[in-house]
Amino acid sequence: MAGTEVTPFRVDVPQADVDDLADRLRRTRWPVAQHLAGERGIPVERVRELTGRWASGWDWRAQEAALNAWPQVVTTVDGTRVHALHVRSPEPDAVPLVLLHGWPGSVVEFLRVLGPLSDPASHGGDRADAVHLVVPSLPGFGFSGPTPDGGWTPARMARAVAELVARLGHDRYVVHGGDWGSHVGRDLAVADGAHVAGLHVTMTPGPAPDGDPAAERKAARYARELSGYAKVQGTRPLALAPALTDSPAGLLAWVAERFAEWTDPASEVDVDQLLTNAAVYWFTRTGPSSAQLYWERAHAPVPGWSRDVPTGVAVLPHDLFRPPRAAVAEAVDLVSWTEFPRGGHFAAMEVPGLLVEELRRFVRAVAR
């Protein structure tokens, strides 16, 4: 692959790697049991349950086939491979929609919304709402990694995504992002504002929660109880690299704890989808390279928002943060604000139906 060429891609993990994962899981060296009071992270017993499923009841080949049911591409941008699902709608006039994941997510997050968004007529919807989908693996994540160098800030990722979308032939498009996808989407609206018709996010980085009691409570709890992973990855990510690469149980505990703490307790996150998401990190060895994003962002200038790109925000009650609406309205061209009745940080996995309807409505508002 050279120059600006975009080539088809299929996930094809060697059977030796699949067998090695199962073998390592069965040979996990578990910590000695202790009687411990208080919240100290994901319980070891829960991790043991998940690893048991991962080693025996979960079927990578079935999950691989589910990924390969969707067209995928790869191209080289700025010295690294960039992978994406590229799902063209059967409706030729469909609006292009870019879906951006974060950490510890992947393109696997969006599998339950691809069909309803790209082909609504086949899922009980209006064909006029169809969109073409571009779902990149962020550089350093999954099939876009590991990256060969450092410096992959959200802004650099945004430029790579803009180049990918242009190579795919989409001139004007809408962007949706959650978690780090919100950061990359924000920077994409700045870097490629002439082509971004609208930006929609489920997490709103930047605006301070001052003066908004609900936002302040969320931010305080995150700082007090939930931010340990970010402090490690933002200061000493290399300390994690061997464990995330050599121990699938360790990787799973690190990832699954985020899902346990960031989702709505009433959400029914599919366990096999969670395990497949972790497997993508495992098979591609991108646990370490994805973690570098925290360090890179901490050592980069503080970015701003575009005031020119129409922006929509969806607030989920169990997400990590609650954005202060007044502060967001001062920072962006806020054209849409929706408060979901349920759901948490991983909207496409937790409340796919609500997210589909929200994105359809937003695309109608900014691009039709």
Side-chain angles (χ1 to χ4, degrees), residues 72-354:
Q72 299 168 66
V73 297
V74 289
T75 190
T76 298
V77 182
D78 195 9
T80 197
R81 181 171 78 169
V82 177
H83 159 270
L85 308 180
H86 187 214
V87 184
R88 290 192 178 275
S89 171
E91 305 299 332
D93 296 330
V95 174
L97 173 63
V98 178
L99 303 178
L100 299 172
H101 67 81
W103 183 92
S106 70
V107 296
V108 172
E109 276 186 60
F110 296 110
L111 290 180
R112 297 175 67 187
V113 303
L114 300 180
L117 285 172
S118 64
D119 190 10
S122 297
H123 294 79
D126 189 333
R127 59 184 295 180
D129 286 326
V131 295
H132 301 304
L133 291 170
V134 180
V135 190
S137 297
L138 293 180
F141 290 71
F143 306 110
S144 290
T147 44
D149 58 358
W152 281 97
T153 62
R156 187 178 178 188
M157 291 182 177
R159 293 191 295 272
V161 171
E163 179 62 21
L164 166 70
V165 174
R167 291 182 189 180
L168 292 173
H170 300 303
D171 180 63
R172 190 153 179 79
Y173 56 96
V174 178
V175 179
H176 161 76
D179 193 84
W180 283 108
S182 298
H183 292 252
V184 175
R186 172 183 61 186
D187 293 342
L188 187 54
V190 172
D192 200 31
H195 299 100
V196 177
L199 169 64
H200 183 275
V201 297
T202 54
M203 193 178 83
T204 313
D210 303 344
D212 185 317
E216 289 177 348
R217 285 194 297 272
K218 284 272 190 178
R221 179 171 184 254
Y222 177 79
R224 183 179 64 250
E225 301 176 28
L226 304 178
S227 60
Y229 76 97
K231 292 174 181 176
V232 174
Q233 295 189 159
T235 59
R236 295 294 186 268
L238 288 179
L240 293 168
L244 297 181
T245 307
D246 190 61
S247 170
L251 171 68
L252 181 58
W254 195 242
V255 169
E257 184 175 71
R258 312 285 83 76
F259 280 84
E261 293 184 336
W262 300 354
T263 54
D264 185 340
S267 294
E268 296 183 3
V269 174
D270 182 82
V271 171
D272 282 358
Q273 190 178 14
L274 168 60
L275 295 174
T276 301
N277 181 74
V280 168
Y281 282 88
W282 176 258
F283 288 133
T284 59
R285 301 189 185 190
T286 51
S289 58
S290 62
Q292 297 299 325
L293 178 52
Y294 288 79
W295 191 97
E296 301 292 355
R297 177 63 196 88
H299 292 80
V302 177
W305 289 81
S306 169
R307 288 286 306 175
D308 300 320
V309 173
T311 301
V313 174
V315 181
L316 288 92
H318 292 273
D319 205 345
L320 275 176
F321 302 102
R322 178 179 177 83
R325 182 169 183 170
V328 173
E330 289 181 3
V332 306
D333 177 17
L334 187 64
V335 300
S336 174
W337 180 277
T338 305
E339 301 208 8
F340 282 21
R342 61 186 185 278
H345 194 65
F346 301 94
M349 295 175 70
E350 296 183 62
V351 287
L354 292 180

